[in-house]
């Protein structure tokens, strides 16, 4: 992830006119697949090895100490992530959970999911250890490891799916797209919005492209001035917009498309 932050800060150039922010999607996707799927497979593999060879935990105090320290560390990390998410959600005027679900920032979402998954995994490990210590099946520890592996696999898929959508070229949320349409239609220089597209090119960085039919009574200079004003208004209404492209057309036939 550190590599992605460094590369994402590189300025736009001729080969990458919209910058390198999208590299964060790529590295976050790879990290989700690698860390969780590999970790999940390793956990399941170790559990199977324990079941086959009959390996069991004997030093319970040490095991509980490890779980306790890990829980404190992961709990502290989750609290810090939630505080950061609350601050950012407040800027976007959204509930924290909804913001984490919908944000295009892969880092914050990954941190939140990883911390929750880590605590859930510790809960499973503690449950297996407790069952074993209370006289239950000695295989309870290994079964807990299998469940932790499954949890890590589910977490990997849950993190990777939205990242895959962003890599493909995901639009903004429908309500944000509708806000952009209303802003375009609210301009006195726009007679009709024919087509409207948005796509994420980096975390919280969106390109908007629209094809509009202008007011025919405007001169060329008036239309140019109105488009500049509309550009500023769109950026003010939707701070995530990084670039705006408005195509002026006299064509009035065909259906609308949104994406």
């Amino acid at each position: 992830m550190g590599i992605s932050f460094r590369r994402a800060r590189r300025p736009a150039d001729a080969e990458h006119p919209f910058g390198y922010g999208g590299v964060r999607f790529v590295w976050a996707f790879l990290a989700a697949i690698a860390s969780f799927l590999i970790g999940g497979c390793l956990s399941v593999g170790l559990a199977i090895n324990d079941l086959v060879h009959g390996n069991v935990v004997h030093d319970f105090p040490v095991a509980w100490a490890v779980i306790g320290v890990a829980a404190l560390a992961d709990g502290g990390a989750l609290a810090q992530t939630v505080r950061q998410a609350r601050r950012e959600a407040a800027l976007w005027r959204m509930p924290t959970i909804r913001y984490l679900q919908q944000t295009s920032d892969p880092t914050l979402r990954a941190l939140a999911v990883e911390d929750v998954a880590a605590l859930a995994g510790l809960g499973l490990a503690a449950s297996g250890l407790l069952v074993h210590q209370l006289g239950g099946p000695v295989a309870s520890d290994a079964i807990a490891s299998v469940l932790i592996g499954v949890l890590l696999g589910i977490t990997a898929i849950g993190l990777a799916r939205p990242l895959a959508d962003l890599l493909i070229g995901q639009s903004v949320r429908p309500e944000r797209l509708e806000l952009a349409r209303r802003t375009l239609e609210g301009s006195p220089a726009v007679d009709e919005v024919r087509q409207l597209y948005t796509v994420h090119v980096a975390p919280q960085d969106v390109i908007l492209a629209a094809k509009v039919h202008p007011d025919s009574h405007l001169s060329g200079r008036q239309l140019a001035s109105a488009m500049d004003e509309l550009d500023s208004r769109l950026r003010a209404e939707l701070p995530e917009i990084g670039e705006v492209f408005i195509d002026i057309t006299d064509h009035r036939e065909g259906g609308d498309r949104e994406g």
Side-chain angles (χ1 to χ4, degrees):
M1 294 299 289
I3 295 175
S4 70
F5 277 105
R6 288 194 295 272
R7 289 184 59 84
R9 286 195 294 266
R10 295 172 61 184
D13 53 37
E15 293 184 349
H16 301 84
F18 298 116
Y20 290 81
V23 74
R24 289 181 60 188
F25 297 148
V26 176
W27 282 96
F29 181 83
L30 293 176
I33 296 299
S35 63
F36 285 98
L37 283 185
I38 293 176
C41 292
L42 180 62
S43 180
V44 172
L46 290 175
I48 294 175
N49 180 72
D50 289 343
L51 288 172
V52 171
H53 295 91
N55 298 329
V56 295
V57 175
H58 297 289
D59 199 338
F60 292 105
V62 172
W64 282 116
V66 171
I67 291 175
V69 171
L72 288 175
D74 291 330
L78 179 60
Q80 184 176 357
T81 301
V82 170
R83 285 195 296 270
Q84 178 66 23
R86 283 176 177 171
R87 288 194 293 267
E88 296 190 15
L91 295 175
W92 293 88
R93 300 177 182 178
M94 296 174 62
T96 303
I97 297 300
R98 185 182 176 194
Y99 175 76
L100 286 172
Q101 291 173 336
Q102 298 183 352
T103 182
S104 60
D105 183 350
T107 304
L108 187 62
R109 181 194 289 120
L111 287 174
V113 172
E114 287 171 5
D115 293 338
V116 171
L119 289 173
L122 288 172
L124 290 171
S127 299
L129 185 63
L130 182 62
V131 170
H132 180 193
Q133 189 173 7
L134 293 178
V138 294
S140 57
D141 297 325
I143 294 173
S145 295
V146 171
L147 294 177
I148 291 172
V150 172
L151 172 65
L152 291 174
I154 293 173
T155 302
I157 295 172
L159 279 175
R161 285 190 61 183
L163 288 169
D165 289 336
L166 289 166
L167 284 169
I168 293 169
Q170 188 178 37
S171 175
V172 297
R173 302 187 308 276
E175 63 269 22
R176 304 296 285 176
L177 189 64
E178 182 59 28
L179 175 58
R181 176 175 287 278
R182 290 199 304 269
T183 302
L184 286 165
E185 293 175 340
S187 172
V190 175
D191 179 54
E192 183 181 11
V193 178
R194 297 304 309 147
Q195 295 176 343
L196 176 60
Y197 304 91
T198 59
V199 62
H200 284 90
V201 294
Q204 309 294 19
D205 189 1
V206 172
I207 292 176
L208 181 146
K211 180 175 287 189
V212 303
H213 185 276
D215 185 338
S216 58
H217 297 93
L218 295 177
S219 66
R221 178 173 297 180
Q222 289 174 324
L223 183 59
S225 177
M227 290 300 104
D228 288 340
E229 180 182 351
L230 185 54
D231 183 302
S232 299
R233 192 181 307 166
L234 282 165
R235 295 173 189 270
E237 292 286 345
L238 294 94
E240 63 267 39
I241 291 180
E243 296 290 345
V244 175
F245 301 96
I246 301 178
D247 180 20
I248 305 299
T249 179
D250 283 331
H251 183 61
R252 301 177 63 90
E253 298 180 356
D256 290 338
R257 292 178 61 192
E258 295 185 354

